[in-house]
Coordinates of all heavy atoms in Angstrom, one line a residue:
R1 N -21.0 -64.4 -93.3 CA -22.4 -64.6 -93.9 C -22.5 -64.0 -95.3 O -23.1 -64.6 -96.2 CB -23.5 -64.0 -93.0 CG -24.9 -64.2 -93.5 CD -25.9 -63.6 -92.5 NE -25.8 -64.2 -91.2 CZ -26.5 -65.4 -90.9 NH1 -27.2 -66.0 -91.9 NH2 -26.4 -65.9 -89.7
R2 N -21.9 -62.8 -95.5 CA -22.0 -62.3 -96.8 C -21.2 -63.1 -97.8 O -21.6 -63.2 -99.0 CB -21.4 -60.8 -96.8 CG -22.3 -59.8 -96.1 CD -21.9 -58.4 -96.5 NE -20.4 -58.1 -96.4 CZ -19.9 -57.7 -95.2 NH1 -20.7 -57.3 -94.2 NH2 -18.6 -57.5 -95.2
R3 N -20.1 -63.7 -97.3 CA -19.3 -64.6 -98.3 C -20.1 -65.7 -98.9 O -20.0 -66.1 -100.0 CB -18.2 -65.1 -97.5 CG -17.2 -66.1 -98.2 CD -16.2 -66.5 -97.2 NE -15.3 -67.7 -97.7 CZ -14.6 -68.4 -97.1 NH1 -14.4 -68.1 -95.8 NH2 -13.9 -69.4 -97.6
G4 N -21.0 -66.3 -98.0 CA -21.8 -67.3 -98.5 C -21.1 -68.6 -99.0 O -20.0 -68.8 -98.5
F5 N -21.8 -69.3 -99.9 CA -21.2 -70.5 -100.4 C -21.5 -70.6 -101.9 O -22.6 -70.1 -102.4 CB -21.7 -71.7 -99.7 CG -21.3 -71.9 -98.3 CD1 -22.1 -71.5 -97.4 CD2 -20.1 -72.6 -98.0 CE1 -21.7 -71.6 -96.0 CE2 -19.7 -72.8 -96.7 CZ -20.5 -72.3 -95.7
D6 N -20.6 -71.1 -102.6 CA -20.8 -71.5 -104.1 C -21.5 -72.9 -104.0 O -20.8 -73.9 -103.8 CB -19.6 -71.5 -104.8 CG -19.8 -71.9 -106.3 OD1 -20.9 -72.3 -106.7 OD2 -18.8 -71.8 -107.1
L7 N -22.8 -73.0 -104.3 CA -23.4 -74.3 -104.2 C -23.0 -75.3 -105.1 O -23.2 -76.5 -104.9 CB -25.0 -74.0 -104.2 CG -25.7 -73.2 -103.2 CD1 -27.2 -73.0 -103.5 CD2 -25.4 -73.8 -101.8
A8 N -22.3 -75.0 -106.1 CA -21.8 -75.9 -107.0 C -20.4 -76.5 -106.6 O -19.8 -77.3 -107.4 CB -21.5 -75.2 -108.4
H9 N -19.9 -76.1 -105.5 CA -18.6 -76.6 -105.1 C -18.7 -77.1 -103.6 O -19.0 -76.3 -102.8 CB -17.5 -75.6 -105.2 CG -17.2 -75.3 -106.7 ND1 -17.9 -74.3 -107.4 CD2 -16.3 -75.8 -107.6 CE1 -17.5 -74.3 -108.6 NE2 -16.5 -75.2 -108.8
A10 N -18.3 -78.3 -103.3 CA -18.1 -78.9 -102.0 C -16.8 -78.5 -101.4 O -15.8 -78.3 -102.1 CB -18.4 -80.3 -102.0
P11 N -16.7 -78.5 -100.0 CA -17.8 -78.7 -99.0 C -18.7 -77.4 -98.9 O -18.1 -76.3 -99.1 CB -17.2 -79.1 -97.8 CG -15.8 -78.4 -97.9 CD -15.4 -78.3 -99.3
L12 N -19.9 -77.5 -98.4 CA -20.7 -76.4 -98.2 C -20.8 -76.1 -96.7 O -21.8 -75.7 -96.1 CB -22.1 -76.7 -98.7 CG -22.3 -76.9 -100.2 CD1 -23.6 -77.2 -100.6 CD2 -21.7 -75.8 -101.0
F13 N -19.5 -76.2 -96.1 CA -19.4 -75.8 -94.7 C -17.9 -75.4 -94.5 O -17.1 -75.8 -95.3 CB -19.8 -76.9 -93.7 CG -18.9 -78.1 -93.6 CD1 -18.0 -78.1 -92.6 CD2 -18.9 -79.1 -94.6 CE1 -17.1 -79.2 -92.5 CE2 -18.0 -80.2 -94.5 CZ -17.1 -80.2 -93.5
R14 N -17.6 -74.7 -93.4 CA -16.3 -74.3 -93.0 C -16.3 -74.0 -91.5 O -17.3 -73.8 -90.9 CB -15.8 -73.1 -93.8 CG -16.8 -71.9 -93.7 CD -16.2 -70.7 -94.6 NE -17.2 -69.7 -94.6 CZ -18.0 -69.4 -95.7 NH1 -18.0 -70.3 -96.7 NH2 -18.9 -68.4 -95.6
L15 N -15.0 -74.0 -91.0 CA -14.9 -73.7 -89.6 C -13.8 -72.6 -89.4 O -12.9 -72.5 -90.2 CB -14.4 -75.0 -88.8 CG -15.5 -76.0 -88.7 CD1 -15.2 -77.2 -89.5 CD2 -15.7 -76.4 -87.2
A16 N -13.9 -71.9 -88.3 CA -12.9 -70.9 -87.9 C -12.7 -71.1 -86.4 O -13.7 -71.3 -85.7 CB -13.4 -69.5 -88.2
I17 N -11.5 -71.1 -85.9 CA -11.2 -71.2 -84.5 C -10.4 -70.0 -84.0 O -9.3 -69.7 -84.6 CB -10.4 -72.5 -84.3 CG1 -11.0 -73.7 -84.9 CG2 -10.0 -72.7 -82.8 CD1 -10.2 -75.0 -84.8
F18 N -10.9 -69.3 -83.1 CA -10.2 -68.1 -82.5 C -9.8 -68.4 -81.1 O -10.7 -68.6 -80.2 CB -11.1 -66.9 -82.6 CG -11.7 -66.7 -84.0 CD1 -13.0 -66.8 -84.2 CD2 -10.9 -66.4 -85.1 CE1 -13.6 -66.6 -85.4 CE2 -11.4 -66.1 -86.4 CZ -12.8 -66.3 -86.5
R19 N -8.5 -68.4 -80.8 CA -8.0 -68.5 -79.5 C -8.2 -67.2 -78.7 O -7.5 -66.2 -79.0 CB -6.6 -68.9 -79.4 CG -6.1 -69.5 -78.1 CD -4.7 -70.2 -78.1 NE -4.5 -70.8 -76.8 CZ -3.5 -71.6 -76.6 NH1 -2.5 -71.7 -77.5 NH2 -3.3 -72.1 -75.4
V20 N -9.0 -67.2 -77.7 CA -9.3 -65.9 -77.0 C -8.6 -65.8 -75.6 O -8.6 -64.8 -75.0 CB -10.9 -65.8 -76.8 CG1 -11.5 -65.6 -78.2 CG2 -11.5 -67.0 -76.0
A21 N -8.1 -67.0 -75.1 CA -7.4 -67.0 -73.8 C -6.8 -68.3 -73.7 O -6.9 -69.2 -74.5 CB -8.4 -66.8 -72.7
T22 N -5.9 -68.4 -72.7 CA -5.2 -69.7 -72.4 C -6.3 -70.7 -72.1 O -7.1 -70.5 -71.1 CB -4.2 -69.5 -71.3 OG1 -3.2 -68.6 -71.7 CG2 -3.5 -70.9 -71.0
G23 N -6.5 -71.7 -72.9 CA -7.5 -72.7 -72.6 C -8.8 -72.3 -72.9 O -9.9 -72.8 -72.4
A24 N -9.0 -71.4 -73.9 CA -10.4 -70.9 -74.3 C -10.3 -70.6 -75.8 O -9.5 -69.9 -76.2 CB -10.8 -69.7 -73.5
Y25 N -11.3 -71.2 -76.6 CA -11.3 -71.0 -78.0 C -12.8 -70.7 -78.4 O -13.8 -71.4 -77.9 CB -10.9 -72.3 -78.7 CG -9.5 -72.7 -78.3 CD1 -9.3 -73.4 -77.2 CD2 -8.4 -72.5 -79.1 CE1 -8.0 -73.9 -76.8 CE2 -7.2 -72.9 -78.8 CZ -6.9 -73.6 -77.6 OH -5.7 -73.9 -77.3

């Protein structure tokens, strides 16, 4: 959240995937 976005550069979204168990993300 603190990182935020530079509104002058696309894309204005991102994803993170954390594998927490076998068959669970």
Side-chain angles (χ1 to χ4, degrees):
R1 183 178 295 277
R2 288 199 308 267
R3 175 185 171 192
F5 291 93
D6 179 352
L7 295 177
H9 293 88
L12 299 181
F13 73 99
R14 54 180 172 263
L15 288 110
I17 305 174
F18 308 115
R19 191 169 191 179
V20 294
T22 300
Y25 304 79

